[in-house]
Amino acid sequence: MKLFSYWRSLASFRVRIALNLKGVPCDIETIDLLEGDQFRDSYLAVNPQPVVPTLVDGGTALFQSLAIVEYLDETCPEPPLLPADPTGRARVRGIAQIASSDSHPLIVPRIRKYLTEDLELSDEQLAAWIRNWMGAGLAAMEAHLAAGSDTGTFCHGDRPGLADLCLVPQVVGSRMFGCRMDPYPTAMRVFETCMALDAFADAHPTKQPDFPSDA
Amino acid sequence: MKLFSYWRSLASFRVRIALNLKGVPCDIETIDLLEGDQFRDSYLAVNPQPVVPTLVDGGTALFQSLAIVEYLDETCPEPPLLPADPTGRARVRGIAQIASSDSHPLIVPRIRKYLTEDLELSDEQLAAWIRNWMGAGLAAMEAHLAAGSDTGTFCHGDRPGLADLCLVPQVVGSRMFGCRMDPYPTAMRVFETCMALDAFADAHPTKQPDFPSDA
């Protein structure tokens, strides 16, 4: 398999964790979003949407991080990333989608570019925007984790899964942009538990081969 | 079952289509997002994140539209909303997530409120923002649909499913905000095919009991 990834992409981070949890070896090809690699014809031939990640498995190019993770879970079932019962699966997918749908899409590079270039936001306004929407996502995840009787060592029970591999990048990204993390004690407890595992730690942006030494 | 929904919510629209395709009867309770119903304690007790939809099935509150749709697909398997093969499932989920993650979250009421109230965007700037991100989503969906050999009468083959129930609200929302639709001929062909089915037509915002007569 080959993953088109960028060290700082939180969506790529999710897929890297899933690959590590499954123990699936994978080549990484860097798509530098800040350099515009995602707009090159060679990449658009793989994924017509200029975003990462894309996972190529044999002749198939898979796109959108959660679709890729579910594919990995269906094709490499052990260890499972979703619980067995429909209610548990819905809870895990719901927590994951708070990050992947309601929070992270608001702060990706193309949005920051539009906000600063087209709408001429100041650095302070941009930082406030990012913290607001990353914080709203964390608050919603915290509310579900703190209230849910299914919350265990991890987001759901005592095995890491789809919700955890969305929570961890959400926390890493929020810290990168200076969010306060003390309002989210349950999320932070789960985050620390995850980061003690190699599958999560090795997928961290700063551990990637394309992480720049001067970043 | 009971769906907390709002007539104009595109995420609620997705779940309404799924319920109709499955033939699952469901009570609807209106959460008027513009009136702030989502912040009432009675709703936050059901879903701690102040968004719609929420589907209550027995004692379980399900949240996030695609998690809800996958739950319905797992608990009421006929007709299936996803193909049987992992590659097809990943394609359908990926197309769905272009709408649910990369496009629609950028134009929901809470974002429009922040753009106009906190950032003081003009009506023109707001309209340009909405058209830009809804258009980018449609362009990505069109690229996958036009290029994909699995595209059939519907987004994937000849049966409506998860990608279609995301595409249709994406088109309806884009038209509502004045997007040009002629760059997306494949998407529009699939849209028209879907809208000829009662399951889609009956789920349309203007057919909802809370659609205001003066809208």
Side-chain angles (χ1 to χ4, degrees), chain A residues 81-100:
Chain A
L81 301 179
L82 286 166
D85 61 306
T87 303
R89 294 164 73 84
R91 177 175 183 264
V92 167
R93 288 183 174 126
I95 293 170
Q97 288 168 21
I98 291 171
S100 72

Side-chain angles (χ1 to χ4, degrees), chain B residues 135-208:
Chain B
L138 284 167
M141 296 173 97
E142 174 68 22
H144 280 289
L145 293 174
S149 59
D150 290 319
T151 305
T153 320
F154 294 94
C155 286
H156 195 88
D158 296 325
R159 198 160 53 185
L162 181 71
D164 304 286
L165 64 81
C166 288
L167 174 66
V168 164
Q170 178 81 12
V171 169
V172 168
S174 298
R175 280 179 160 172
M176 195 184 288
F177 288 111
C179 290
R180 282 178 53 209
M181 304 306 292
D182 51 296
Y184 320 115
T186 319
M188 290 307 295
R189 178 192 43 84
V190 173
F191 170 78
E192 298 296 347
T193 307
C194 290
M195 288 304 289
L197 300 178
D198 288 346
F200 287 82
D202 293 347
H204 192 280
T206 59
K207 299 289 180 62
Q208 300 318 301

Side-chain angles (χ1 to χ4, degrees), chain A residues 49 64 74 89 101-102 105, chain B residues 49 64 74 89 101-102 105:
Chain A
Q49 188 185 18
Q64 290 288 328
E74 291 177 356
R89 294 164 73 84
S101 288
D102 286 349
Chain B
Q49 189 187 17
Q64 290 289 328
E74 291 177 356
R89 295 163 73 84
S101 288
D102 286 349

